[in-house]
Amino acid sequence: MRLLLLALLPAACAPQSLVGGRSACPGAALLVTNASRVAVEQLYLGQGGDLIGAVPLPPGQAVRIPLPEAAAGGLRLVWVDGHAAEIPGFNPCVTPRLTVEEGALQAGR
Protein backbone atom coordinates (compact mmCIF):
# COMPACT_ATOMS: atom_id res chain seq x y z
CA MET A 1 0.00 0.00 0.00
CA ARG A 2 2.79 2.40 0.89
CA LEU A 3 4.54 1.78 -2.44
CA LEU A 4 1.31 2.43 -4.29
CA LEU A 5 0.87 5.80 -2.57
CA LEU A 6 4.46 6.78 -3.32
CA ALA A 7 3.99 5.79 -6.96
CA LEU A 8 0.89 7.98 -7.23
CA LEU A 9 2.41 10.99 -5.47
CA PRO A 10 4.19 12.49 -8.53
CA ALA A 11 0.97 12.42 -10.55
CA ALA A 12 -0.99 14.02 -7.73
CA CYS A 13 1.56 16.82 -7.34
CA ALA A 14 2.03 17.49 -11.06
CA PRO A 15 0.52 20.67 -12.49
CA GLN A 16 -2.87 20.22 -14.06
CA SER A 17 -2.64 19.45 -17.73
CA LEU A 18 -4.55 18.04 -20.61
CA VAL A 19 -5.65 14.46 -20.16
CA GLY A 20 -7.12 12.46 -23.02
CA GLY A 21 -7.75 15.61 -25.07
CA ARG A 22 -9.85 17.15 -22.30
CA SER A 23 -8.90 19.96 -19.99
CA ALA A 24 -7.85 18.76 -16.55
CA CYS A 25 -8.62 22.23 -15.23
CA PRO A 26 -12.39 22.66 -15.60
CA GLY A 27 -13.55 26.25 -15.87
CA ALA A 28 -10.18 27.35 -17.25
CA ALA A 29 -9.89 30.64 -19.09
CA LEU A 30 -7.17 32.26 -21.13
CA LEU A 31 -6.35 35.94 -20.57
CA VAL A 32 -5.29 37.38 -23.93
CA THR A 33 -3.66 40.83 -23.98
CA ASN A 34 -3.05 42.48 -27.33
CA ALA A 35 0.16 44.49 -26.92
CA SER A 36 0.69 44.70 -30.69
CA ARG A 37 -0.32 47.51 -33.03
CA VAL A 38 -2.67 45.26 -35.03
CA ALA A 39 -6.04 43.82 -34.00
CA VAL A 40 -6.29 40.07 -33.43
CA GLU A 41 -8.87 38.46 -35.70
CA GLN A 42 -8.71 34.73 -34.83
CA LEU A 43 -7.48 32.46 -32.05
CA TYR A 44 -7.55 28.68 -32.21
CA LEU A 45 -6.60 26.10 -29.60
CA GLY A 46 -6.23 22.53 -30.80
CA GLN A 47 -8.89 21.43 -33.27
CA GLY A 48 -11.53 23.79 -31.89
CA GLY A 49 -13.17 26.77 -33.56
CA ASP A 50 -12.21 30.43 -33.38
CA LEU A 51 -12.18 31.63 -29.75
CA ILE A 52 -12.14 35.38 -30.52
CA GLY A 53 -15.55 35.50 -32.18
CA ALA A 54 -16.97 38.05 -34.60
CA VAL A 55 -15.31 41.14 -33.10
CA PRO A 56 -11.49 41.41 -33.40
CA LEU A 57 -9.43 42.18 -30.26
CA PRO A 58 -8.14 45.75 -30.72
CA PRO A 59 -4.58 46.81 -29.88
CA GLY A 60 -4.13 47.68 -26.20
CA GLN A 61 -7.13 45.61 -25.10
CA ALA A 62 -7.41 42.36 -23.15
CA VAL A 63 -10.08 39.68 -23.00
CA ARG A 64 -10.66 36.67 -20.78
CA ILE A 65 -11.73 33.73 -22.94
CA PRO A 66 -13.42 30.73 -21.28
CA LEU A 67 -11.90 27.59 -22.74
CA PRO A 68 -13.87 24.65 -24.08
CA GLU A 69 -13.50 21.46 -22.08
CA ALA A 70 -11.67 19.75 -24.94
CA ALA A 71 -9.06 22.54 -25.35
CA ALA A 72 -5.77 20.86 -26.24
CA GLY A 73 -2.90 21.12 -28.66
CA GLY A 74 -1.30 23.94 -30.54
CA LEU A 75 -2.39 27.55 -30.27
CA ARG A 76 -2.69 29.62 -33.46
CA LEU A 77 -3.38 33.36 -33.60
CA VAL A 78 -4.16 35.42 -36.72
CA TRP A 79 -3.97 39.22 -36.91
CA VAL A 80 -6.39 41.18 -39.13
CA ASP A 81 -3.56 41.80 -41.62
CA GLY A 82 -3.28 38.03 -42.21
CA HIS A 83 -0.06 37.40 -40.31
CA ALA A 84 -0.13 34.45 -37.91
CA ALA A 85 1.86 33.00 -35.01
CA GLU A 86 1.71 29.63 -33.28
CA ILE A 87 2.69 27.95 -30.03
CA PRO A 88 2.80 24.15 -30.49
CA GLY A 89 1.62 22.02 -27.58
CA PHE A 90 0.10 24.97 -25.70
CA ASN A 91 -1.33 24.05 -22.29
CA PRO A 92 -3.71 26.69 -20.90
CA CYS A 93 -3.77 24.97 -17.49
CA VAL A 94 -0.06 25.71 -17.05
CA THR A 95 0.12 29.03 -18.92
CA PRO A 96 -3.24 30.81 -18.63
CA ARG A 97 -1.98 34.17 -19.96
CA LEU A 98 -1.12 35.08 -23.53
CA THR A 99 0.43 38.38 -24.56
CA VAL A 100 0.29 39.24 -28.23
CA GLU A 101 3.35 41.20 -29.28
CA GLU A 102 4.50 42.53 -32.66
CA GLY A 103 4.60 39.33 -34.72
CA ALA A 104 5.05 37.08 -31.68
CA LEU A 105 3.24 35.42 -28.77
CA GLN A 106 4.35 35.32 -25.13
CA ALA A 107 2.74 32.71 -22.87
CA GLY A 108 2.96 32.97 -19.09
CA ARG A 109 1.41 32.43 -15.71
Side-chain angles (χ1 to χ4, degrees):
M1 180 74 159
R2 187 175 195 159
L3 286 176
L4 177 60
L5 290 176
L6 290 176
L8 294 175
L9 188 58
C13 294
Q16 292 182 343
S17 61
L18 300 172
V19 177
R22 298 186 151 252
S23 174
C25 51
L30 180 64
L31 177 62
V32 180
T33 303
N34 188 357
S36 75
R37 290 179 277 194
V38 180
V40 173
E41 183 175 40
Q42 302 167 16
L43 178 67
Y44 300 95
L45 183 56
Q47 300 298 317
D50 179 20
L51 298 173
I52 292 290
V55 180
L57 178 62
Q61 298 294 311
V63 65
R64 185 176 186 271
I65 301 173
L67 297 174
E69 190 175 322
L75 181 134
R76 178 174 169 80
L77 181 135
V78 181
W79 285 270
V80 294
D81 64 5
H83 286 89
E86 296 181 8
I87 300 177
F90 183 77
N91 185 337
C93 296
V94 175
T95 51
R97 294 177 188 266
L98 181 70
T99 302
V100 180
E101 299 172 346
E102 298 301 323
L105 304 176
Q106 176 84 27
R109 290 181 87 52

